[in-house]
Amino acid sequence: MSLFEATDIGVSFGGVRALHDVSFSVEQGEIFSIMGPNGAGKTTVFNLISRFYDLDQGDMLLDGESIRKLAPHQIAERGIARTFQNTELFENETVLQNLLTAHHTHRQTSFLAEMAFLPKVRKQELRFREKVEDIIDLLDLQSYREQRINSLPFGVRKIVELGRALSLEPKLLLLDEPSSGLNPEETEDLSFWIEDINEELGITVIMVEHDMNLLGQVSARVMALSDGELLTVGTPDEVRAHPDVVKAYLGE
Amino acid sequence: MDSISLATFIQLLVTGISHGCLYGLVALGFVLIYKATEMVNFAQGDIMMLGAFIAFTLASGLGFAYIPVVILTILFMAAFGIALESAVIRPMIGEPPFAVLMLTIGLGFVLRAVAGMIWGHDEKEFDTPYSIDPLLIGEVSLDYEQLVVVGVTILLCLGLWTFLRFTKFGVAIQAASQNQLAAAYVGIPVRRVVAITWALATAIAGVAALLVAPLQLIYPGIGFVVGIKAFVAAIVGGFGSLAGALIGGICIGLVEQFVGYMFEGAYGETSVYVLLLLMLFIRPQGLIATLQRKKV
Amino acid sequence: MRFVLKTNYGQDINHFLHNGQRFWYGLLIAALLLAPFFVDRFYVGELTYLLIWVIAGTGLMLLIGYTGLVSMGHAAFMAIGAYAHAVLFKLGFPFGISLLMAGLVSGFLGAVIGIAALRMTGIYLAVATISFAFIIEKIVGEWTSVTGGHRGFVVPEPVMFGIDFGSDMSFYYLCLGVVIVAVMLVLNLLRSPMGRAMIAVRDSEISAQAMGVNLVETKTLAFTLSAFFTGLAGALYSHKIGMLFPENFTIFMSIKLLILVVVGGIGSMHGIVFGAIFISILPQVIAIVRDFLPTVIAQRRGLEPLVFGSILLLFLIYEPLGLYGRWVKIRAYFTQFPLYRRATFKRQKSYLRTERVH
């Protein structure tokens, strides 16, 4: 059984079909990429999985269970984390607080216990903190730990957002254009991190990406979309050479 | 409810609509500013109050005739809008909406206090050439003041709609509101557009003031209550739509009059707020929806 | 400048980072405990008002400053707390119980409004809460059999465990106790997952959801707790004013609370205290200044709202982080002297991009 499976999913906004009849499946442990020109519906796929949009047709399965009726926060509880194209961090908080927030799904205390700050709350906080420190080590964020997000450059924010998604300890990670806004050096670091995340932490990754190098380097399979329709699925080289894909990017 | 005579019914209807038009006019000011800058001006009612006192001073204090009073008041209010924008609002561009909201609340406070200090707190009367005996049709007696409110509101709305839809400037307002930075890049003078929008909104408040002054007595607190009801009107209509503001205004004007009649005057005003809460429960996007979820 | 060598993660969780902080806050509490023995009775009364404002401010700050939900009708919760407590206490409930129940009744109504508010943001919520406050004011005014309406409601003397808290001094200590407990509870919440969830909702609803934060639960809880604390403040306030009228709890009180939060410093617990001091002291200062003003201005009504409004405007334009923000800057100036750069606190401006359809 695949870890994630989408069958004939589709959605339209005000009569415009943003996505229709798209089916794909992602295997446990793989890095699956989605590419396509602007407006192809890549981010829409993510917003459907995150349940920010309702599906008009089709179904989505995680571990064989449908997630199409869940609330957005339940998606996180099921172990799906994501990043955003232009970053959506908690701007007025520190990097540390941002990463700690992602542990919300692992919370085992009630607000009453938290207000009294019972020993179990302190213990939980220490546990969260240790895990967050592991992520900070992994992504080399030590020097930014106590800095507020709104004072950080965009490249660092992207990494912090990746860190925040990892703090959720997901089984499936959705990365929305992780390399956009990064310089070549940062992009290279990123490709190593994505591989580490995938191999060492065993997290399955779905990635929307424009950078062909990054795509070819890390992902096993690529899905190409254009105008809300699926063009092809295959290895990066196959997809790049596919006539429909070439046509979608370059025109007739 | 006791059976209600036709004459009373029509009278309530006209009063409701004319009050509603007033709320709608003030709401138009909100909506205009909101459409251009996405700022919410809570002081719109108090700006109207200021206009009413200006008209009163021109007429009673300085002895101007009615027509010059109308023209001067509107001009003064437009100038006031530009001054206000450059002194208080411009520093707030790019600040979070909450800060702007608080700012305009503070502004309303200051305007009320200043008006109270200049003109005092006793109620003032403002007469117009059409403040004459009511029009009698059968048993129905209709005040000319009320009819004028309705007429002027309709004309003003049509004018405003044409202006926004078909003039270059109207389109510039819309562009500036969609994306300030992009609008500036394509050569729209965003600052001037915003300043003129404020002038337009305060001028409309001036018109509302000229209409409300003969209908009610003028006192510093008059703008606050009208302002909040206008706000409710804007929300009921779906914030960001001119037609919605007017429809919303008329809705609450009618509800207020009829509920007030049913309970002998006790709950008219409260019913407006109940209506708002109900509305927000049932259809929070308003009658004409303009807001959608943030894109990521 | 002080550098703290951290040796374990627990230090970051503690309320006090080092002994210096412990010392100063200890001194503050000691000063508050001893204050009634050294100041005039009148000032004990004024200090009590200050403490009540701090409790109400704690409630509103949690909602506005930490969850990002604007309520412009918090006077309603003060009213609900005040009347619920006064009525229950008069019916014979023990003081402590009726105080707590007043908070709970207010909290319950806060939850109702919170649930209604789930689909609203920003300005919609602000107007909805104003409307709620107007409705509550009307109900209080019309429900004469319970509230006494506009004729007023006499609040009985506070007696708990047979101790009369009616004296200025004992009531002061009662309020001080409630303040300390309330502030501790909120501070604890803010260093726990739920508090972080609230802050997450404030900064980005969408990404809060993506991180597993339940919006319904978080917003409703924020409203409930906020109304609870404000209701508690209202209950204490009822004893302080002795006689309740609907006119005590108008929109102007709501706005005064908003001024407290904004001028004190949005999103900061210190700000509540600064804000409460501000709104307590300002009327006194105005009264003193009035003597020096020419009679034409001094005798006019409206000087107080004028000053309140102007100060609010000045803060929003020049110091949106409030008194606490100003204090942080001044402190930074001295600790980093002569290296302080103004750019450290430069605000980022954003340009408007709407999400509207038309």
Side-chain angles (χ1 to χ4, degrees):
Chain A
M1 187 176 62
S2 309
L3 176 70
F4 179 82
E5 206 175 336
T7 45
D8 298 330
I9 57 172
V11 67
S12 25
F13 302 111
V16 182
R17 288 212 279 197
L19 204 67
H20 70 113
D21 285 343
V22 172
S23 303
F24 62 95
S25 59
V26 180
E27 305 305 320
Q28 174 70 46
E30 111 176 291
I31 299 181
F32 182 87
S33 296
I34 304 176
M35 62 177 271
N38 286 329
K42 308 180 295 286
T43 300
T44 307
V45 174
F46 276 13
N47 285 343
L48 284 171
I49 301 177
S50 300
R51 293 283 301 114
F52 293 153
Y53 300 154
D54 284 326
L55 273 180
D56 287 343
Q57 54 166 54
D59 202 358
M60 299 176 297
L61 306 177
L62 181 73
D63 284 330
E65 275 178 62
S66 175
I67 59 168
R68 68 171 294 179
K69 293 263 184 250
L70 298 182
H73 69 269
Q74 289 171 314
I75 296 295
E77 283 162 12
R78 294 290 171 94
I80 301 180
R82 73 172 284 180
T83 66
F84 298 85
Q85 214 168 326
N86 295 313
T87 71
E88 280 283 329
L89 286 159
F90 307 125
E91 289 280 322
N92 300 306
E93 285 301 316
T94 61
V95 170
L96 183 64
Q97 292 292 326
N98 265 273
L99 300 195
L100 283 171
T101 305
H103 276 284
H104 194 77
T105 51
H106 307 291
R107 165 179 181 249
Q108 283 163 338
T109 48
S110 72
F111 77 92
L112 286 173
E114 287 171 7
M115 287 177 93
F117 219 73
L118 300 178
K120 66 176 176 187
V121 180
R122 179 176 283 271
K123 243 192 238 157
Q124 176 178 268
E125 282 300 304
L126 288 171
R127 201 171 65 236
F128 287 172
R129 179 66 190 269
E130 271 172 36
K131 289 187 171 164
V132 163
E133 288 298 332
D134 289 343
I135 305 286
I136 288 177
D137 279 345
L138 177 75
L139 300 177
D140 283 336
L141 287 169
Q142 292 90 342
S143 55
Y144 303 110
R145 192 188 284 121
E146 295 293 343
Q147 288 197 33
R148 280 171 196 273
I149 301 298
N150 49 23
S151 65
L152 295 178
F154 188 72
V156 179
R157 292 185 198 203
K158 293 287 275 196
I159 307 302
V160 173
E161 208 182 35
L162 177 64
R164 187 180 64 175
L166 287 177
S167 296
L168 203 139
E169 298 171 3
K171 47 187 169 190
L172 178 61
L173 179 62
L174 314 178
L175 300 176
D176 196 350
E177 301 201 14
S179 79
S180 74
L182 299 188
N183 62 36
E185 203 182 319
E186 287 169 329
T187 309
E188 196 161 320
D189 284 346
L190 181 75
S191 77
F192 290 125
W193 281 326
I194 294 177
E195 281 178 338
D196 279 357
I197 289 163
N198 180 246
E199 283 163 19
E200 287 176 23
L201 304 177
I203 296 172
T204 310
V205 178
I206 306 182
M207 175 168 83
V208 165
E209 187 50 63
H210 278 300
D211 187 323
M212 286 293 183
N213 279 328
L214 180 63
L215 244 161
Q217 240 166 19
V218 300
S219 54
R221 287 192 308 142
V222 178
M223 169 170 81
L225 293 177
S226 175
D227 285 333
E229 289 185 53
L230 193 151
L231 295 178
T232 178
V233 181
T235 65
D237 288 331
E238 281 167 20
V239 171
R240 230 178 313 193
H242 195 282
D244 285 347
V245 176
V246 174
K247 205 167 78 183
Y249 273 95
L250 302 176
E252 296 289 336
Chain B
M1 187 174 60
D2 301 322
S3 65
I4 172 172
S5 77
L6 185 66
T8 318
F9 179 79
I10 292 175
Q11 212 133 12
L12 286 174
L13 198 68
V14 174
T15 312
I17 290 175
S18 66
H19 278 91
C21 281
L22 263 179
Y23 302 146
L25 268 186
V26 178
L28 276 187
F30 287 138
V31 171
L32 204 60
I33 289 172
Y34 181 74
K35 270 178 100 79
T37 63
E38 227 154 86
M39 286 179 171
V40 173
N41 176 21
F42 220 85
Q44 189 72 11
D46 295 299
I47 292 172
M48 182 201 81
M49 175 274 298
L50 183 69
F53 272 114
I54 295 294
F56 168 78
T57 307
L58 288 171
S60 304
L62 304 172
F64 280 95
Y66 182 68
I67 300 292
V69 167
V70 170
I71 295 168
L72 286 174
T73 303
I74 293 175
L75 285 179
F76 177 88
M77 291 310 286
F80 178 73
I82 290 178
L84 192 67
E85 197 275 336
S86 64
V88 186
I89 306 299
R90 192 166 301 162
M92 299 302 286
I93 289 180
E95 296 291 332
F98 166 70
V100 179
L101 178 70
M102 283 304 295
L103 183 92
T104 54
I105 290 173
L107 196 64
F109 247 75
V110 172
L111 287 178
R112 272 198 301 283
V114 169
M117 290 177 109
I118 298 176
W119 288 287
H121 292 265
D122 44 328
E123 294 168 333
K124 310 244 178 334
E125 230 172 297
F126 179 77
D127 280 326
T128 63
Y130 55 86
S131 304
I132 45 176
D133 286 340
L135 176 72
L136 280 169
I137 308 169
E139 277 177 56
V140 186
S141 93
L142 298 173
D143 287 331
Y144 284 102
E145 282 109 334
Q146 295 183 347
L147 299 177
V148 169
V149 171
V150 179
V152 172
T153 305
I154 291 170
L155 285 179
L156 196 69
C157 282
L158 282 176
L160 204 60
W161 183 76
T162 322
F163 174 74
L164 287 178
R165 189 97 168 76
F166 297 110
T167 65
K168 217 171 170 181
F169 189 79
V171 178
I173 287 185
Q174 304 208 5
S177 81
Q178 295 285 326
N179 188 338
Q180 276 179 347
L181 212 51
Y185 286 154
V186 298
I188 292 172
V190 173
R191 277 190 183 174
R192 207 186 316 152
V193 167
V194 171
I196 295 178
T197 312
W198 273 84
L200 206 58
T202 47
I204 292 175
V207 175
L210 288 163
L211 295 171
V212 78
L215 219 55
Q216 297 181 13
L217 297 168
I218 310 169
Y219 60 97
I222 189 175
F224 188 69
V225 181
V226 173
I228 287 183
K229 284 184 202 159
F231 228 106
V232 177
I235 287 181
V236 169
F239 230 94
S241 142
L242 295 178
L246 194 61
I247 296 169
I250 293 175
C251 281
I252 65 165
L254 288 173
V255 167
E256 188 181 26
Q257 288 303 318
F258 280 96
V259 175
Y261 177 80
M262 268 157 47
F263 292 101
E264 284 150 8
Y267 292 98
E269 222 174 289
T270 313
S271 68
V272 171
Y273 308 121
V274 176
L275 175 76
L276 174 87
L277 288 185
L278 282 178
M279 183 79 193
L280 287 171
F281 256 120
I282 300 161
R283 195 177 154 82
Q285 69 272 40
L287 293 172
I288 300 173
T290 57
L291 286 168
Q292 67 178 30
R293 207 180 159 139
K294 186 182 174 189
K295 278 205 189 77
V296 283
Chain C
M1 233 174 143
R2 181 197 284 262
F3 289 97
V4 181
L5 182 66
K6 294 182 194 168
T7 47
N8 66 61
Y9 296 143
Q11 277 174 298
D12 273 349
I13 296 172
N14 295 338
H15 284 311
F16 303 114
L17 194 55
H18 50 73
N19 283 328
Q21 283 181 351
R22 231 165 260 138
F23 172 75
W24 287 112
Y25 285 105
L27 201 65
L28 176 69
I29 289 179
L32 285 169
L33 283 173
L34 294 174
F37 296 105
F38 294 98
V39 300
D40 196 58
R41 256 194 68 195
F42 171 75
Y43 289 106
V44 176
E46 291 301 308
L47 272 175
T48 312
Y49 274 120
L50 176 80
L51 294 174
I52 293 172
W53 286 122
V54 171
I55 303 166
T58 305
L60 192 58
M61 186 66 88
L62 188 65
L63 194 67
I64 297 186
Y66 290 103
T67 321
L69 300 170
V70 181
S71 164
M72 287 178 55
H74 251 51
F77 297 116
M78 288 280 278
I80 292 163
Y83 276 98
H85 169 70
V87 169
L88 290 172
F89 188 49
K90 202 172 195 175
L91 284 175
F93 283 87
F95 182 85
I97 302 287
S98 84
L99 192 67
L100 198 65
M101 275 171 66
L104 291 176
V105 169
S106 172
F108 172 76
L109 281 166
V112 172
I113 282 291
I115 289 167
L118 286 174
R119 293 159 76 189
M120 299 175 216
T121 47
I123 187 67
Y124 285 58
L125 186 56
V127 177
T129 44
I130 288 188
S131 298
F132 172 71
F134 279 132
I135 294 168
I136 293 294
E137 202 187 317
K138 188 78 185 170
I139 292 174
V140 168
E142 295 292 322
W143 198 7
T144 43
S145 57
V146 176
T147 65
H150 293 272
R151 282 179 286 112
F153 187 96
V154 183
V155 186
E157 285 283 288
V159 179
M160 181 159 60
F161 310 126
I163 308 164
D164 186 0
F165 278 88
S167 83
D168 283 328
M169 209 153 153
S170 50
F171 194 66
Y172 168 84
Y173 284 116
L174 177 70
C175 291
L176 184 61
V178 177
V179 165
I180 292 172
V181 172
V183 169
M184 285 307 285
L185 290 177
V186 172
L187 281 175
N188 281 340
L189 186 71
L190 290 173
R191 57 176 173 167
S192 320
M194 202 59 213
R196 280 196 297 267
M198 288 175 182
I199 293 170
V201 168
R202 175 191 73 189
D203 282 0
S204 166
E205 276 191 17
I206 252 177
S207 118
Q209 281 182 307
M211 292 300 118
V213 172
N214 183 342
L215 279 191
V216 179
E217 183 193 351
T218 310
K219 285 186 177 180
T220 312
L221 183 65
F223 248 106
T224 311
L225 290 175
S226 176
F228 175 81
F229 287 119
T230 311
L232 219 53
L236 293 170
Y237 189 69
S238 75
H239 286 297
K240 202 64 201 141
I241 55 177
M243 183 102 177
L244 296 177
F245 295 99
E247 291 80 11
N248 294 129
F249 305 97
T250 57
I251 175 85
F252 297 105
M253 184 189 238
S254 301
I255 290 179
K256 215 168 173 184
L257 282 168
L258 278 175
I259 291 177
L260 184 161
V261 169
V262 171
V263 172
I266 213 108
S268 110
M269 289 299 282
H270 290 96
I272 300 168
V273 179
F274 283 107
I277 293 173
F278 174 79
I279 62 166
S280 312
I281 285 182
L282 193 62
Q284 324 278 348
V285 173
I286 293 172
I288 294 167
V289 171
R290 211 184 268 270
D291 296 339
F292 298 101
L293 288 175
T295 9
V296 206
I297 300 174
Q299 295 306 316
R300 294 277 183 178
R301 262 167 68 194
L303 189 63
E304 197 177 311
L306 178 65
V307 175
F308 262 105
S310 309
I311 290 182
L312 180 64
L313 293 190
L314 292 175
F315 264 100
L316 284 163
I317 296 175
Y318 297 108
E319 190 53 271
L321 294 176
L323 287 168
Y324 182 67
R326 178 50 49 183
W327 159 244
V328 168
K329 281 178 204 174
I330 294 170
R331 198 177 48 188
Y333 178 81
F334 283 109
T335 51
Q336 296 167 12
F337 187 83
L339 301 171
Y340 177 76
R341 291 174 304 142
R342 292 188 71 171
T344 321
F345 292 103
K346 202 161 168 50
R347 282 179 278 150
Q348 262 195 345
K349 295 237 175 191
S350 60
Y351 289 92
L352 169 68
R353 279 188 71 178
T354 183
E355 305 295 335
R356 279 178 292 140
V357 196
H358 53 93

